[in-house]
Amino acid sequence: MPAGTTLEETARVARQLAEKTFQQPEVVNVQTYAGTASPYNFNGLVRHYYLRRGSNVADIQVNLKPKGERSLASHEIAKRVRQSLLAIAREHQARIKVAEVPPGPPVLQTLVAEVYGPNREGREKLAARILDIFDHTTASSMPTGTSRIRNPNRAGMWIARKRR
């Protein structure tokens, strides 16, 4: 929405766009977020959408039927939805983007290994083995740089590697 648009107006237009999207037979549900970004997903992390805030921004998250329950691929549905929303966007001078969430973990790292188990010693032992595998993999696409994150409130940890 143009700069200076009120949060209420942005929410109203987002609802109109969501209602139009919901008319698509492949759509199971939609969620709108006005004034803030939608919850983290891989697309948002890659494009830094999670940093968006302001009275003139909104996200609409769309969930489709499973692949086996629809005849069109998600890309074809996205193209059709984009076309159906353009008139509403023009009417309100809104810029819209219809983007598919690419497959991948919702993290900033390229490769993540989550380690879970009943005790810390076992988790640490398995994590060390996984790190050893990472360190000794010679594929040119193997990420480098390691982060180990432990959450004391959960019986797990994850290991993330950043791409070279």
Side-chain angles (χ1 to χ4, degrees):
M1 299 292 292
T5 303
T6 65
L7 181 61
E8 294 79 11
E9 177 66 7
T10 299
R12 188 179 68 72
V13 174
R15 183 179 175 110
Q16 282 182 350
L17 293 165
E19 287 172 352
K20 184 70 170 176
T21 302
F22 195 65
Q23 293 174 3
Q24 306 299 315
E26 300 86 359
V27 173
V28 174
N29 55 46
V30 296
Q31 300 91 39
T32 61
Y33 302 88
T36 188
S38 59
Y40 275 57
N41 64 39
F42 194 51
N43 191 50
L45 284 171
V46 169
R47 295 185 172 145
H48 298 114
Y49 289 165
Y50 64 94
L51 297 173
R52 296 176 350 134
R53 292 188 187 357
S55 64
N56 65 324
V57 299
D59 281 351
I60 302 171
Q61 191 164 330
V62 179
N63 294 305
L64 302 176
K65 291 179 181 178
K67 288 180 189 179
E69 296 180 24
R70 53 186 160 89
S71 60
L72 295 176
S74 58
H75 181 70
E76 293 301 318
I77 297 167
K79 287 187 342 187
R80 188 178 68 209
V81 165
R82 183 180 296 115
Q83 286 302 311
S84 73
L85 300 179
L86 288 175
I88 297 170
R90 277 191 219 108
E91 179 185 341
H92 299 284
Q93 300 174 351
R95 289 186 341 197
I96 62 169
K97 292 181 183 178
V98 177
E100 293 179 82
V101 177
V107 295
L108 294 172
Q109 288 76 19
T110 303
L111 180 64
V112 175
E114 293 187 357
V115 180
Y116 296 92
N119 61 60
R120 183 178 180 153
E121 182 182 330
R123 291 188 305 272
E124 291 282 344
K125 197 176 208 179
L126 181 57
R129 286 178 54 201
I130 293 169
L131 282 173
D132 187 56
I133 292 168
F134 284 178
D135 290 339
H136 291 93
T137 300
T138 59
S140 61
S141 64
M142 186 63 196
T144 59
T146 304
S147 300
R148 294 177 84 169
I149 299 174
R150 291 179 186 86
N151 183 340
N153 300 319
R154 293 180 60 187
M157 73 160 73
W158 58 270
I159 304 160
R161 298 293 302 244
K162 292 184 181 178
R163 188 172 295 284
R164 285 182 201 159

